[in-house]
Structures are given as C-alpha cells and as structure tokens.
Amino acid sequence: MIELYKGGAWVLDGRDVIPDGGPLELKKRGLALSREEGRKGTISYGILKAHNSSGDEKNLRIKFDAIASHDITYVGIIQTARASGMESFPLPYVLTNCHNSLCAVGGTINADDHAFALSAAKKYGGIYVPPHLAVIHSYMRETAAGCGKMILGSDSHTRYGALGTMAVGEGGGELAKQLLGRTYDLPCPPVVAVILKGAPRKGVGPHDVALSLIGAVFKNGYVKNKVVEFLGDGIENLPVDFRNGIDVMTTETTCWSSIWKTDDKVREYLELRGRGDDYRKLAPAGAAYYDGLVSVDLDAVEPVIALPFHPSNVYTIRELKANAKDIFAETEKECLKAVGVPGLTMNLAEKIRGGGIYVEQGIIAGCSGGSFENIMAAAGILDGKSTGSGIFSLSVYPESQPTMLELVRNGAAAKLLSAGAVIREAFCGPCFGAGDVPANGDFSIRHTTRNFPNREGSKPNEGQIAEVALMDARSIAATAANGGRLTAATEIDYDSGPGGAKFFFDRGIYEKRVYRGKPHPETELVFGPNIKDWPPIPPLPENLVIKIAGFITDPVTTTDELIPSGETSSYRSNPLRLAEFTLSRKDPLYVKRAKEIQALEADLRKGKPDGEAANILNAARAAPGCGGLDISEIGIGSAIYARKPGDGSAREQAASCQRVLGAWANLALEYATKRYRSNLINWGILPFIVEDESSLAPGCCVFFPGIRKALLDGAGAVRGYVIAGEGKTAREFSAREFSAHLGELTGAERRILADGCLINYYRALRHTA
C-alpha cells in the first residue's frame, strides 16, 4: 500500500520513478543531469526560488505573500510587532476567530481579544474575520491560497499545498518578523516526492489516506523538516476537497511544508470562488530529482483508525476489530505511560461488547473533517438512519458559513439533523479541547487533526481521562448509523459522494461581514483587562547558570504538554497569567520550581546573595578559570530537559511561558519540529542539544562560562560544568565538565538569543539605525 524508498529517486514526467542509482535508465532517455540539476526540476524549487531574497539557493530568506493567525495567537504577535516598531501591516494579514469564539470561559476576555483584533485590522490595515464565520484554514483556502504562492500561519496546520500554495505553520515570532519587513530564514529543505497511484475505493476518505501516510513516515522521521511534493496519476482521481483533507494532515508527518501538482480541478475550485486568476499549472520538470520518495497505492488503502495518543498509532479498522483485546491492552499500557499519572486507569477493554466495539461520541469538524464533501458523504450515509437514543452522540462542525449555507440549501443538513446529529458553527474547539469534551472514560472517534493526551479536554492530574481516536467522516457516519458500534464505511452500502449536489460559493457571506481596509493610524487599539504587554526580558548574561526545573524522559513531549490547550486558551493574551499553566499536566510543580529559580536570580541581582544563590555563585567561581568573575557577570535561570520536545502545535506560548518564568535554555537529544526550536530562539531560550542525559538530573545546575561570547563568536559546541546535582547542593558538589551544542544558527538568531528575545533585538536595531 505504502512504500518508502531507501534513497533518493528521479521522477520523469511527474509519474515514472527511477530509483537513485539508475543512471543507465536516465542515459537511455537521453538525460545527463546531476542530482543538483535534478533538484531544480521540482515544483518546490521554483516556488522557493521565487520567494527567496538572499541570492543564495542553499540559505533562504523568504518573504511570504500573506500571513494568517487565529484568536489564540494574534494578540501576542501584534503585541510583539508593535513593541518592535511596527507601524502598519506590510502584507495581507488575516485575523480569524475560530479558536476562542465560544465565550463561555473567563467572562469577557475572549470577546475582548476579538475587539482588539478588529481595532488592529483598522489601525494597521488587516483582514478581520468575525467569530463563527470560518475556521482559519478553510478561510485561507477559500480566499487567499493560489498557485505558486507562499503563506505563513501561526497554526501548525497551515497547509494549502493541494491548491498550489506552499504554506508553513510557525510560531508567532516568525509572523512578527514578516510584519516588520524581515525574512523567514532557513537552509533550503530537502524535497520528498509522494507518488499517488490508482483511486480510493468507496468508503475510503481523505483521513484514511492521510493517517496511513502518517503511520508510515512519522516514527522513522522520513519527511521531518522536508517538503512533501504530491505527484502521480492518482491525483486526477481525487476531488480537491479530498486533496485538502490529505494535505492538512501532512503536519502530523513533521514535514516542513507541502505542495501538489495542479490541474483543471484546482482551476475549477478557484474559479468557483471568484479567483480564477490565482490558477496556474504546477508540475515538475520532465526529469526531477527527489531526496526521498513515498509510493501510495490508493486502491489498497483501507478505512483506518488512529488510536490514542497520536495520529501515527494507526490500525486498519478491520485489524482492530479482529484483535481488539490485544491492541487495546497495548494501547492502554502506552497511554498510561505517556500520561504518567499514578493510579489513573483506562477502560478501553470495556468498549468490547457483544462481539463489537462501541464508542460514545463522534465528531466531524474543522479544517480536516468539516469540508463540504466530507459532510455530504456523512449525510448520504445517515440519510433515513438514526444515531439512536443511547449514550452515543454525533456533532458536525462545517468548516465555514459558505459550506453551511450549501448544506442547508441542498438538504444535507436536514438529513443529518433528522438522523440525530447536531450541527454546530465553524469552530476549532474539538481539535484542542474546547468543544464537545467527552465524559470521563468515554471513547470518541473524530475526523479532526490530533488525538494527543488531554487534547479532547480531560485533566488526568485530576483523575479524568478520555480516549480519542481519529477516523474518516465516512466511517464515523457508518458508526453513527449503527448507534455507536465501530463500523468501517466499506462495510455498508450507501450513496457514495455528494449525491450529485454541486457546491456553490456565496461570496456575499464574507463581503457582508469580513473587514478589509487600509491602515488608519489614528485608530485606538481596544484593550480588554486581560490583554497585557510582554513583561521586560533581560539580555543573555556573559556567564550563565541554568537550573533544571523540569526533567522529562518521555520519548516525545508535545506542545500541549508544555502549555496545555483548552481552558488555558482564554489567557493567551496575558503572558504572566498563562505562564501559570506551564507543564501543568505533565509536571505540576514546574511553575513553583521556576519561580524559586527566579527568586535566586533576584537575590543575585541584589548584590549580596545568601543561601542557595550564594552557594551557586561560589560553585560557579570554583569552575576552572572563573575565580575572578564579578557577580554582575553571572545570571541564573531555569531550564527544561526533555528528550524530544515540541511535537504538535506551532503556538509560541510553549516557549514564551517558560521565558516569562525565567527560563534561559532547553536541553534535548533532538527537537521534534523546526517550529518549536524557532519559538525557543525567538524568545531567547538557548536550544541546547546534548548527546547524553546521564549527566543531568532534576534540580541540577549547569554553569556555562563565557556563553554570550561563545554564542556571538559563532560557536557550535559550548563547554559547561555541572556544579550541583545528585541530591547535593552546590557547596557539596564536585564540578564536572559538560558539553552541549547549539545546532545551526544564523547570525540574526545568535543576536536574538544574545539580546534576550525578538522584541529586544528589534528594539536594539531601531536604536542603532
């Protein structure tokens, strides 16, 4: 079904594959290209080249065509850019309201953010999409994506590759750079081809293909930080909505971005939305070289289910039903290990009853599930059926009001409502725990983007846990038609497809409600009481002591674990208030420890430290060559150690919350995503890589003498000393040498780290201009 090539490969005419090492075949066809020349034949190369301002094909400095944020991220981004000297939005900036649009938590504070965004759109010249109108990625697909464009979004699922747009999800700092007229800098990424062959059979949907692909490439890192380029004759057999549904899930493969070849179906999609001029045919050159290749036989894809707690934990539904007891037992074991809460139990085995597997909830929602064709397929399956009067419930969230309007006009909404489903507004809540939170112990099947721990809204530290599995809308509807008995859509007979109904895009919905305007500098920003400025952040000291406040040995640490989603979202405009939630679900004592370390730094700054601060200072001075260090040349901050942090969301708060609590570093064996590492850098947190964790322990202190000079001098490896640990204080401990690596850093990134954060960096540039 899915084959991963061990090396690179040539693709001829966008479909024929020649594995790397087949130069004879190339010669037979009259081709004498080097790999480097072949790489220039990819679709990705052409788009990146057109947006690169560096003049260096290996080290890119990208300027995007547009940027987008939602109401969990835009306040912090605008506050950062504003503090850095921004006077207007220099490119189209779309501000959507699809995450904190249910104003049920925290009083007025969510709606206060919306008022702030509208005032910012008026002041700086932006595009404001009111609550309930569209989820961020659907709006961008409908109104902004176009062939050959590049779009940057402050949401990890910023993916519009099926429409010929190379889109990237990053932390807020990278969007702030674009607002300040700067660039997005990275080495030119490798490109991996995904060759689609054949056609999916009836009952197989985009989530089945996407989850199968994630299951094949996530754990081995096959496409990590690369571009995935979709090619092959199989694309012609997929409607654009189907392609979008696969594309948006490429985020979960850990690739950097995605792009697809385009055709007349993409042209029709754009023309229907009044944007025919945004179409152009994208295809690789006659011979293009790829750094890897994935072959997908669409005919062989089966309905699948991604069990808790990751989209890569994929089984076919057929396989799960045949081996439910064993698979559930292993899943429970891994899940409870990942959550790490003593005494917590799961009850997946209880879902096996009468020879079937029963679930309590179904959700079809958002940028992955809420598309027109997914919901039409669900309506076709449920037409004349009933979801039953038992515990099972089904909620459907159309991706936008234009989609909702069509479902009402063509009768699909009536079919769903008549079957017992509930239709809700365009809202991303089910993807991050702010909508349809299941009961404790419930098993929920969802056509949404993620099923990480707690992402459905439960709080394991308080004895709550629910299980979310990802499935395609078609199989969710089939399960609903059977009253919650897990059923693959291939097991039933139904009207396949949209039933002849054509989608008509009503632009008037957006024309009546979306604000688009030129800058009006005289406009006053509207600040609710929860919207706070970033607190002052100091520059990196000459010499640094870090004390480990959080020590995590899980194989992967998600951004949801670093800063939880759900109920915390309402406080994302208040840096200090939000910071109180840092690591609350993984390490509830982290905030207390970080604040204690902040107090040590405060003692040091008083000039006459005593107690632990004095002991740390003396231990640092006892390191080789450091005896004469003045107290003013040493700083103390906290750090987190995690083996592989940063999988998941792009939100910068995973880093900024650590920073406002006094963090100076992360130490890791590797970073799960580029976007998390970028967030660390933009918030002045040193992204150390260590080869061995055995020298580290909870509460240990590491002293890095001359760290500021080493950073600015371009050092990669840095030398430090472990000066406290193993249950001993700094007074009792014998220092031992320790080494870490900063990884690849641009000159600007080194300066940002030295200045303490992006805001300080741009402030310094203004003062020296």
Side-chain angles (χ1 to χ4, degrees):
M1 180 177 73
I2 296 180
E3 178 186 3
L4 308 184
Y5 281 54
K6 290 184 179 179
W10 290 86
V11 177
L12 307 184
D13 300 322
R15 60 172 69 86
D16 297 334
V17 177
I18 300 176
D20 206 1
L24 290 178
E25 182 64 28
L26 287 176
K27 288 180 179 178
K28 283 181 188 177
R29 299 186 183 224
L31 298 171
L33 296 172
S34 68
R35 290 176 184 170
E36 205 56 42
E37 291 170 318
R39 288 186 175 98
K40 294 180 180 180
T42 65
I43 301 171
S44 303
Y45 175 85
I47 295 176
L48 290 169
K49 181 180 180 181
H51 290 81
N52 178 30
S53 62
S54 72
D56 179 353
E57 293 182 351
K58 295 185 185 255
N59 295 289
L60 309 180
R61 301 181 67 184
I62 301 295
K63 288 198 171 184
F64 289 86
D65 297 298
I67 60 175
S69 297
H70 52 63
D71 47 347
I72 281 180
T73 57
Y74 58 53
V75 173
I77 292 165
I78 294 169
Q79 290 284 69
T80 297
R82 176 172 160 261
S84 303
M86 178 193 67
E87 296 181 355
S88 65
F89 296 157
L91 73 170
Y93 187 13
V94 176
L95 308 172
T96 67
N97 295 278
C98 51
H99 279 60
N100 279 351
S101 50
L102 291 185
C103 302
V105 178
T108 70
I109 58 181
N110 291 344
D112 291 345
D113 286 354
H114 305 159
F116 172 89
L118 179 57
S119 69
K122 292 178 177 179
K123 183 177 183 70
Y124 300 119
I127 302 163
Y128 174 82
V129 184
H132 315 300
L133 219 56
V135 301
I136 179 172
H137 304 310
S138 300
Y139 182 83
M140 296 304 289
R141 290 175 194 146
E142 291 170 343
T143 68
C147 301
K149 291 185 179 181
M150 290 193 74
I151 293 177
L152 181 67
S154 58
D155 184 273
S156 57
H157 290 98
T158 304
R159 291 284 191 268
Y160 317 126
L163 300 176
T165 299
M166 190 173 286
V168 180
E170 272 284 2
E174 294 302 325
L175 276 79
K177 291 177 184 176
Q178 296 291 308
L179 292 176
L180 294 162
R182 304 288 173 167
T183 57
Y184 176 91
D185 304 341
L186 79 161
C188 188
V191 183
V192 173
V194 178
I195 304 292
L196 300 180
K197 299 181 291 185
R201 52 195 164 127
K202 180 180 174 181
V204 171
H207 233 31
D208 296 315
V209 178
L211 294 172
S212 298
L213 181 60
I214 294 163
V217 303
F218 172 77
K219 291 179 183 176
N220 56 31
Y222 191 81
V223 299
K224 181 178 176 180
N225 292 333
K226 301 173 185 176
V227 180
V228 290
E229 190 163 306
F230 286 83
L231 308 170
D233 293 338
I235 291 178
E236 299 168 7
N237 300 319
L238 303 178
V240 175
D241 262 2
F242 200 114
R243 302 177 199 181
N244 285 335
I246 298 171
D247 185 64
V248 73
M249 291 300 292
T250 60
T251 295
E252 305 309 323
T253 68
T254 69
C255 73
W256 176 72
S257 188
S258 62
I259 195 69
W260 294 54
K261 77 171 186 179
T262 60
D263 56 15
D264 285 343
K265 289 183 180 180
V266 176
R267 184 200 301 272
E268 291 169 7
Y269 180 97
L270 293 171
E271 287 177 345
L272 186 62
R273 289 154 182 82
R275 296 192 297 113
D277 290 345
D278 280 331
Y279 176 79
R280 67 184 174 92
K281 185 175 179 60
L282 298 179
Y289 181 79
Y290 293 87
D291 298 286
L293 189 139
V294 182
S295 177
V296 180
D297 182 359
L298 294 171
D299 295 284
V301 175
E302 295 185 50
V304 298
I305 181 169
L307 292 175
F309 282 132
H310 200 276
S312 64
N313 192 21
V314 177
Y315 297 87
T316 65
I317 294 176
R318 174 180 51 80
E319 178 186 10
L320 174 63
K321 291 171 77 170
N323 303 280
K325 185 176 179 181
D326 291 341
I327 292 173
F328 278 165
E330 183 62 25
T331 298
E332 286 192 7
K333 177 183 174 182
E334 293 301 316
C335 287
L336 292 173
K337 180 181 177 182
V339 173
V341 176
L344 197 65
T345 59
M346 295 173 67
N347 62 349
L348 281 173
E350 296 176 10
K351 311 302 178 185
I352 307 170
R353 299 193 301 272
I357 300 168
Y358 286 84
V359 302
E360 284 79 24
Q361 185 187 66
I363 306 287
I364 300 170
C367 58
S368 62
S371 70
F372 177 73
E373 291 190 5
N374 282 335
I375 297 174
M376 287 298 298
I381 291 169
L382 284 165
D383 188 13
K385 306 291 197 310
S386 170
T387 62
S389 59
I391 190 67
F392 178 82
S393 65
L394 175 65
S395 293
V396 178
Y397 294 73
E399 62 182 347
S400 68
Q401 285 295 87
T403 295
M404 172 74 91
L405 180 57
E406 281 307 296
L407 295 170
V408 171
R409 281 177 173 165
N410 67 26
K415 293 177 183 178
L416 290 167
L417 291 169
S418 295
V422 175
I423 300 181
R424 305 189 187 275
E425 72 278 29
F427 179 46
C428 298
C431 289
F432 66 94
D436 277 307
V437 177
N440 180 59
D442 275 4
F443 191 16
S444 175
I445 51 174
R446 302 187 174 198
H447 192 148
T448 57
T449 54
R450 288 193 177 123
N451 60 338
F452 291 172
N454 332 124
R455 198 166 177 96
E456 81 299 328
S458 67
K459 299 180 181 179
N461 287 331
E462 297 180 17
Q464 309 168 7
I465 194 166
E467 297 86 36
V468 168
L470 302 182
M471 282 172 50
D472 188 80
R474 292 149 190 79
S475 292
I476 292 173
T479 300
N482 280 337
R485 182 181 174 119
L486 192 70
T487 306
T490 51
E491 299 175 39
I492 63 170
D493 186 28
Y494 70 97
D495 179 4
S496 60
K502 187 176 180 181
F503 180 78
F504 296 94
F505 182 74
D506 189 335
R507 292 183 62 84
I509 293 174
Y510 292 150
E511 290 171 350
K512 293 180 179 75
R513 293 290 295 131
V514 173
Y515 174 84
R516 290 172 173 267
K518 295 180 179 180
H520 296 281
E522 72 281 2
T523 303
E524 294 290 332
L525 293 175
V526 177
F527 288 92
N530 186 60
I531 298 176
K532 304 296 183 184
D533 290 333
W534 293 109
I537 294 175
L540 181 67
E542 297 296 334
N543 308 279
L544 178 66
V545 176
I546 57 170
K547 184 173 182 179
I548 296 181
F551 192 87
I552 305 169
T553 57
D554 294 348
V556 179
T557 302
T558 69
T559 46
D560 281 344
E561 291 169 315
L562 291 164
I563 184 65
S565 56
E567 81 280 7
T568 68
S569 298
S570 297
Y571 302 107
R572 296 235 163 101
S573 302
N574 188 333
L576 293 173
R577 181 75 184 274
L578 180 64
E580 297 290 329
F581 293 94
T582 312
L583 276 176
S584 57
R585 292 179 183 168
K586 175 57 65 174
D587 185 355
L589 293 179
Y590 167 79
V591 172
K592 177 177 179 290
R593 296 189 206 105
K595 288 182 175 181
E596 289 171 349
I597 297 167
Q598 272 188 310
L600 295 177
E601 167 67 8
D603 286 347
L604 209 62
R605 298 284 69 85
K606 291 175 184 175
K608 294 184 179 179
D610 57 13
E612 186 179 359
N615 291 339
I616 290 174
L617 176 62
N618 292 333
R621 285 172 169 167
C626 299
L629 287 179
D630 185 86
I631 192 171
S632 64
E633 299 175 308
I634 299 178
I636 301 175
S638 59
I640 287 175
Y641 170 77
R643 287 176 176 167
K644 189 178 180 181
D647 187 24
S649 172
R651 56 182 180 266
E652 65 183 302
Q653 293 92 346
S656 65
C657 285
Q658 297 177 50
R659 192 71 177 100
V660 301
L661 291 171
W664 270 116
N666 272 198
L667 301 107
L669 300 180
E670 65 174 305
Y671 292 94
T673 58
K674 176 195 175 297
R675 56 185 174 268
Y676 176 68
R677 185 173 180 271
S678 294
N679 285 336
L680 294 177
I681 293 166
N682 287 328
W683 281 105
I685 298 176
L686 295 161
F688 285 128
I689 297 170
V690 299
E691 294 183 357
D692 184 4
E693 68 184 33
S694 62
S695 295
L696 303 171
C700 79
C701 293
V702 184
F703 176 47
F704 291 100
I707 183 64
R708 183 182 178 88
K709 183 177 186 304
L711 175 70
L712 292 175
D713 285 349
V718 291
R719 183 194 52 170
Y721 298 93
V722 180
I723 59 173
E726 297 178 354
K728 299 179 181 179
T729 67
R731 177 180 292 173
E732 304 167 315
F733 194 82
S734 297
R736 63 170 174 265
E737 194 165 320
F738 175 84
S739 65
H741 203 281
L742 286 165
E744 295 296 324
L745 292 168
T746 66
E749 288 172 335
R750 290 178 182 275
R751 191 73 245 181
I752 291 166
L753 287 165
D755 287 346
C757 66
L758 194 67
I759 295 172
N760 294 355
Y761 170 72
Y762 284 122
R763 186 178 293 132
L765 286 180
R766 292 208 316 273
H767 289 163
T768 56

